[in-house]
Amino acid sequence: MHVTRGGRFYNSELRWDGVTSLKEALRMLKEQADRTPEGQWVRVIGGWSPYQFEEKRMPTIEEINEATGDTPTFVLYLYSRGWLNQAGLDALGIDENTKPPNNQSRYEKDKNGKLTGVLLAEPNAMILYQVIGKLPPLSNQEKINSTKHFNRELNRFGLTSAIDAGGGGHTYPEDYEAAKTLAEAGESSLRVSYYLFPQKAGEERAAFEKWMANNTADVNEDSDLEHGYELKGGGEYMTWAAGDFENFLSPKPLIKNNEGWRKQTKEIIQMHVNEGWSFRQHSTYGENTALIVDLVDEIDRENNGKIRNEMRWAIDHAETVNDETLKEIKRLGGGISIQDRMAYAG
């Protein structure tokens, strides 16, 4: 999971987990808007589905605006759509002339050409990532407190250890400071093995060269827990060109159409093999996963079986992986890390 990133934001989020009616969810939104301090936002960042509500539908932008008034608000549904209230649009300077970040996303407009406040990933989610990235952060002390609370919430479900798969908008080392501070002080209630995620397409090699020159994997930074806080390797992206997007209501993006994906990704995985760093790659759709696993097999053969005999590696998500590819992953000593995203997507 994205545990260090989740900890950074936990105290700033309103959660709709387990809420059984949209009416109650909107009441919570109003309550949060009334108590949100000046300069901060109301934010619901996933973790809910319209199918959990007795109304069996999503909120409308009119309902969100009525509940939140002049407090900037962003509500995210998976990585497929988001709602910005009018105060949020104004705060970010988004208007009818604002261009989306790419041609696979859009700002929804009504029949009169006026923004509705709905942001759509079709299927590229950069339009949603950008909004999250622009929301005001917590202070350093607030992030430490937020991480403590998030870890304890995970403990409440019986979780004592987590593999952290890096994340977009989550920069090393700055955004890992709260988790590192708790670990070094012996105050973390969660053991974390963390991975490093290159933030910019085309700059993956430079990022990994820097990280590998300045960090050693498998060194415990926690003063209290055995294997309490350890860097393990790279991911969940080796390269952006090998990644896909997961709006299950849109046509699937195929990495075979991404120029140079195989050459770039092979170079980065080989760097991990050379250093003995574990690696993981985000791959939603089975067609893409099969291509990545085939590449791992090629690199393994060129390195005399080092990957399957000595290393840990994984495919993250893999919702539509097929049996043949699963057998190949097993043969190569890899694993899959799968979540319940399709349950939320309906």
Side-chain angles (χ1 to χ4, degrees):
M1 60 189 298
H2 300 292
V3 63
T4 55
R5 188 175 69 181
R8 277 172 59 209
F9 294 108
Y10 184 67
N11 283 2
S12 63
E13 292 180 17
L14 173 67
R15 306 287 311 182
W16 283 348
D17 308 62
V19 177
T20 57
S21 77
L22 181 57
K23 180 180 179 182
E24 171 64 8
L26 291 167
R27 185 201 66 75
M28 293 169 66
L29 209 59
K30 182 179 188 310
E31 180 181 78
Q32 185 64 44
D34 290 343
R35 68 176 177 225
T36 295
E38 186 77 24
Q40 275 292 352
W41 284 55
V42 176
R43 40 190 124 180
V44 180
I45 309 295
W48 63 278
S49 161
Y51 309 104
Q52 77 193 49
F53 301 139
E54 59 189 29
E55 295 90 343
K56 300 293 186 242
R57 67 174 179 86
M58 297 184 185
T60 65
I61 193 64
E62 291 80 13
E63 289 170 329
I64 291 173
N65 273 309
E66 182 180 354
T68 57
D70 295 331
T71 306
T73 299
F74 182 56
V75 176
L76 178 70
Y77 173 59
L78 301 170
Y79 287 136
S80 62
R81 67 169 58 205
W83 292 260
L84 279 168
N85 71 348
Q86 188 58 50
L89 289 170
D90 295 342
L92 295 178
I94 296 173
D95 61 24
E96 282 74 15
N97 299 314
T98 303
K99 296 284 190 290
N102 50 58
N103 60 9
Q104 292 182 309
S105 59
R106 64 187 170 97
Y107 298 103
E108 185 183 71
K109 296 179 181 178
D110 63 20
K111 61 185 178 183
N112 299 315
K114 182 175 171 55
L115 289 179
T116 65
V118 177
L119 283 55
L120 296 167
E122 297 176 334
N124 191 306
M126 190 57 66
I127 193 170
L128 307 173
Y129 300 154
Q130 280 187 347
V131 170
I132 296 172
K134 291 176 181 177
L135 301 185
L138 298 172
S139 70
N140 289 337
Q141 280 304 116
E142 287 169 338
K143 287 177 188 173
I144 291 170
N145 182 271
S146 180
T147 299
K148 269 188 176 179
H149 278 284
F150 186 50
N151 289 355
R152 290 303 298 269
E153 176 72 356
L154 297 175
N155 297 155
R156 194 167 70 84
F157 292 101
L159 196 68
T160 60
S161 305
I163 295 172
D164 180 87
H170 190 59
T171 304
Y172 183 82
E174 303 93 304
D175 293 333
Y176 290 71
E177 283 302 315
K180 181 181 174 73
T181 297
L182 287 174
E184 289 181 336
E187 294 181 13
S188 177
S189 62
L190 194 70
R191 293 197 303 274
V192 177
S193 297
Y194 64 94
Y195 285 72
L196 305 184
F197 186 126
Q199 294 300 301
K200 293 184 179 178
E203 298 182 15
E204 296 94 339
R205 181 184 177 93
F208 281 119
E209 283 179 340
K210 180 180 178 181
W211 292 333
M212 288 175 175
N214 293 293
N215 298 277
T216 303
D218 301 316
V219 175
N220 186 19
E221 301 166 64
D222 193 292
S223 64
D224 184 47
L225 300 174
E226 188 175 354
H227 300 295
Y229 189 70
E230 294 184 356
L231 168 64
K232 288 295 178 184
E236 70 184 286
Y237 271 30
M238 292 288 93
T239 62
W240 284 78
D244 54 19
F245 294 96
E246 56 280 340
N247 182 354
F248 297 105
L249 303 178
S250 292
K252 67 183 74 169
L254 298 174
I255 64 171
K256 68 180 183 181
N257 298 326
N258 297 340
E259 185 178 353
W261 82 266
R262 187 179 178 94
K263 180 181 177 182
Q264 293 174 36
T265 308
K266 184 174 183 178
E267 181 179 56
I268 299 300
I269 293 177
Q270 184 63 56
M271 291 172 66
H272 284 70
V273 174
N274 294 345
E275 292 292 325
W277 278 32
S278 301
F279 63 91
R280 51 201 313 116
Q281 176 63 44
H282 167 122
S283 183
T284 302
Y285 293 103
E287 296 90 335
N288 298 331
T289 306
L291 293 176
I292 293 165
V293 173
D294 180 67
L295 177 60
V296 172
D297 178 42
E298 178 181 304
I299 299 168
D300 180 63
R301 284 184 276 109
E302 291 174 358
N303 288 270
N304 300 313
K306 182 176 178 179
I307 292 177
R308 69 176 183 272
N309 292 320
E310 301 177 29
M311 297 183 64
R312 293 174 71 91
W313 68 279
I315 296 291
D316 284 315
H317 307 308
E319 279 94 344
T320 68
V321 66
N322 63 30
D323 288 353
E324 183 180 347
T325 303
L326 281 174
K327 289 173 184 174
E328 278 295 283
I329 293 171
K330 181 178 181 180
R331 183 181 67 81
L332 291 164
I336 63 166
S337 173
I338 192 163
Q339 295 76 34
D340 53 2
R341 299 188 304 176
M342 289 187 86
Y344 285 98

